[in-house]
Amino acid sequence: MAKVPSALVAAGGLVGGYGVARWTGKRQLGGVVLAAAGTAAARQWRQRAGGPAAGALSAAYVAAFAGSHPLAKKVGAWPAVFSVAGAVALASWAVADRRG
């Protein structure tokens, strides 16, 4: 079975977490999606690139989530979410996935 790239898992967590929160009206449920995908991506990052890289990418994931909020006030919610998800996906690919 083919491995799912960690870039897709991380970006999917950011987009999916926001989508679930928005469509259900339950922010906590979106947080569960965000955390589950972040945990899965962090495991992949550790396996593929090591602990320090996994720590840095995990910090980037959390920073992207936090940074999407003020960015949304400037560009709108969905553009902000897609922007930060793309940035995390690119970083994940560059650090962990392209080695694979």
Side-chain angles (χ1 to χ4, degrees):
M1 185 169 171
K3 293 181 183 177
V4 177
S6 62
L8 183 59
V9 174
L14 289 161
V15 173
Y18 175 68
V20 167
R22 180 164 178 146
W23 290 316
T24 65
K26 299 185 186 305
R27 294 177 70 182
Q28 299 87 348
L29 191 54
V32 169
V33 172
L34 180 78
T39 300
R43 281 191 199 125
Q44 288 180 310
W45 294 329
R46 182 179 297 280
Q47 289 172 347
R48 295 178 186 172
L57 288 168
S58 294
Y61 185 80
V62 172
F65 167 69
S68 69
H69 292 81
L71 182 60
K73 292 179 187 213
K74 295 181 184 217
V75 299
W78 280 112
V81 170
F82 286 129
S83 295
V84 300
V88 168
L90 181 60
S92 180
W93 175 81
V95 173
D97 292 335
R98 83 180 156 135
R99 299 174 184 223

